Amino acid sequence: MKSKRIRYKAIVVVALLSTLLAAKDSFATTENDVLLVLPMSHQVIQRITLTTGTMKIRVRAGLTTVTAISAFVINQAGTIVFIATPSSLSIPSGSTYDIEAPNLTAGPGYTVKVYQSDGVNVIYSAATPVGIGDIFIVAGQSNAANSDQVKTSANSGYVTTYDTKTNSWNLSADPQPGPYPFDGSLPANEVNRNFAGIGTQGSIWPIFGDYLANQNGGIPIGIVSLGFGGSAIADWVPATAEGPCDSAAGITGVRDPGVNYNMIRNSCHHLPFLLDAVNNMLSISGGFRLILWHQGESEAAQSTSIGTSYYYNSFKNMQAAVAAVAPSSQWVVSQDSFFPADYNISPDYANVPCGTTTINSTNYSLVSNDQARLVSDGSAWQGPFSNYYVGNTYRYRMAAGGTYGYCVHMNGYGQTLLGEDWANHVHAITSFAPKLNPSY
């Protein structure tokens, strides 16, 4: 008899709360969504298992002293799936309070509603939609950034991108935000270099996200894009003689002594941004699924040999730096070592079709062999073979409006195929790999 009374009481409470939520405007004196720190609208929470995840709810006190909080998680069907009502609190204005909502079903469309009160006043905050799915941190050079011919947007509604500078999630659309601002907040020389490095064109990532979400049955996809055009692997390893991009060295920063890299281009150290992204995802989203590494053209373009195992050892150094923060982090590495022999930035070459010959066959082999070795020894999962996507069928030299692709970057057709190829490889991994979350 006692168990029946308990079940009846639970049903009545849920029904009452549903009524209050529907009529919130009748009693909530203030609405302030900024006070709901986590989750954010459009945020993806990293799932822990294939079917469940834990959502962190963080509310900032907006009253002099908050004495009670009520938090609700509502699924896409409108059902309340989590309730927390901590009371007898004493949270001073500006401080935060965390609540965990465990064992939520992986999927899209959650709404989080939070009420805070000081016994007299009530503030209401909400975030929607929030998804529980998989987060992918993207790193590498231009074909991992915004240098492709066509600007794309995710159409499924399941794919969002995290902006590392504004600390916000948005539906994924090119150009991907990258770790650097376009708002002039850096010195002029930094803004100009970052403008070129991040790119303002298209990427493969909205295509990748849509394709993967559809393969996974609508599991939300979060993308953290850190790609930077022209970056060598030396720019992603722990450095001793080079500061980060916003250091006093500016665009004339130097690399570690002894690095064999002779392309003429800007220098920047990117590892701090990768580590920041890893830490941030662990903190706000409970982790991330994979790091997607798409890089290798810079080494292939060198006129002198990079040497045996140079690329492999550099990658392992970068990987170790990330493992110090996220020990169970996993990587996916593309086969990416093609740099065209007919690379040319002269407008006279605008209508010349892209060729299929690499500029340095020795370095092409050294890089691709090291990338294959990373997969064969278990250091990384196998990504797509982007070296197959060469020539005029897949790449472009110059787009309408004078945007250069240099036969390095993908045209619209190449973007689509490469994005789908990335999705196919990642889908195979995420469908069976047991380790879903580096923080567990």
Side-chain angles (χ1 to χ4, degrees):
M1 190 67 180
K2 183 177 180 181
S3 63
K4 288 185 178 179
R5 285 199 300 269
I6 292 173
R7 285 197 299 271
Y8 175 76
K9 182 178 180 181
I11 293 171
V12 171
V13 169
V14 170
L16 178 59
L17 289 171
S18 298
T19 302
L20 290 174
L21 285 171
K24 69 174 181 64
D25 291 334
S26 66
F27 69 89
T29 59
T30 307
E31 182 170 347
N32 188 342
D33 292 341
V34 175
L35 294 176
L36 182 54
V37 180
L38 294 174
M40 309 172 209
S41 293
H42 299 293
Q43 182 173 351
V44 175
I45 309 298
Q46 178 58 49
R47 55 181 173 168
I48 299 172
T49 71
L50 287 175
T51 57
T52 63
T54 295
M55 183 184 296
K56 179 186 290 185
I57 301 170
R58 176 173 294 164
V59 59
R60 177 175 289 112
L63 299 166
T64 301
T65 303
V66 172
T67 57
I69 293 174
S70 296
F72 310 92
V73 179
I74 305 161
N75 67 14
Q76 197 170 29
T79 302
I80 299 173
V81 293
F82 174 81
I83 302 170
T85 56
S87 58
S88 300
L89 304 173
S90 182
I91 309 171
S93 177
S95 297
T96 59
Y97 186 85
D98 285 1
I99 299 170
E100 279 198 350
N103 300 317
L104 299 178
T105 301
Y110 283 98
T111 297
V112 178
K113 298 185 178 183
V114 177
Y115 300 84
Q116 55 176 290
S117 174
D118 60 2
V120 177
N121 303 294
V122 176
I123 297 179
Y124 161 79
S125 307
T128 189
V130 180
I132 297 176
D134 287 328
I135 296 171
F136 301 96
I137 298 176
V138 176
Q141 55 186 110
S142 55
N143 278 320
N146 301 298
S147 297
D148 293 334
Q149 188 172 11
V150 179
K151 292 180 181 179
T152 63
S153 299
N155 298 315
S156 64
Y158 300 132
V159 186
T160 59
T161 296
Y162 177 66
D163 191 324
T164 62
K165 283 295 181 182
T166 62
N167 188 34
S168 63
W169 294 81
N170 303 283
L171 290 174
S172 188
D174 291 332
Q176 299 296 301
Y180 314 103
F182 288 96
D183 60 4
S185 59
L186 290 177
N189 62 341
E190 289 290 334
V191 172
N192 290 337
R193 177 179 52 71
N194 293 333
F195 181 84
I198 300 170
T200 58
Q201 291 297 110
S203 78
I204 63 173
W205 303 119
I207 298 169
F208 156 82
D210 268 350
Y211 204 76
L212 182 60
N214 290 331
Q215 286 178 310
N216 287 345
I219 292 296
I221 303 298
I223 297 170
V224 184
S225 181
L226 307 176
F228 193 91
S231 60
I233 197 167
D235 299 323
W236 295 85
V237 301
T240 57
E242 179 182 24
C245 291
D246 57 355
S247 69
I251 63 171
T252 59
V254 296
R255 289 190 182 79
D256 291 335
V259 171
N260 179 19
Y261 184 75
N262 57 16
M263 283 186 68
I264 299 175
R265 57 162 210 88
N266 295 326
S267 176
C268 180
H269 187 209
H270 302 286
L271 181 62
F273 297 100
L274 176 55
L275 296 178
D276 283 349
V278 167
N279 275 313
N280 211 9
M281 289 304 103
L282 290 171
S283 174
I284 71 173
S285 283
F288 56 93
R289 183 62 187 85
L290 295 165
I291 300 174
L292 310 184
W293 178 250
H294 195 95
Q295 192 276 338
E297 300 101 323
S298 289
E299 286 69 33
Q302 293 186 42
S303 59
T304 57
S305 172
I306 62 171
T308 303
S309 298
Y310 166 75
Y311 193 92
Y312 177 89
N313 292 333
S314 297
F315 182 92
K316 295 294 287 185
N317 287 337
M318 171 180 63
Q319 191 176 47
V322 173
V325 176
S328 299
S329 54
Q330 299 179 57
W331 296 67
V332 187
V333 175
S334 66
Q335 283 276 322
D336 188 25
S337 61
F338 175 82
F339 194 92
D342 59 348
Y343 165 91
N344 197 297
I345 62 174
S346 169
D348 297 336
Y349 281 73
N351 297 315
V352 178
C354 294
T356 59
T357 303
T358 190
I359 196 170
N360 187 324
S361 58
T362 298
N363 284 339
Y364 174 95
S365 297
L366 287 169
V367 174
S368 60
N369 288 344
D370 277 357
Q371 289 167 342
R373 180 183 169 194
L374 290 166
V375 174
S376 65
D377 73 3
S379 297
W381 296 95
Q382 180 64 66
F385 291 78
S386 64
N387 287 340
Y388 292 163
Y389 301 106
V390 299
N392 220 51
T393 301
Y394 308 104
R395 308 198 182 207
Y396 76 103
R397 187 182 298 278
M398 185 173 180
T403 301
Y404 289 98
Y406 310 128
C407 298
V408 177
H409 307 133
M410 301 295 160
N411 60 27
Y413 181 63
Q415 276 179 263
T416 299
L417 290 185
L418 187 56
E420 292 177 354
D421 202 354
W422 260 112
N424 285 331
H425 282 84
V426 168
H427 175 66
I429 299 166
T430 56
S431 296
F432 68 85
K435 195 69 175 179
L436 282 168
N437 191 318
S439 64
Y440 286 85

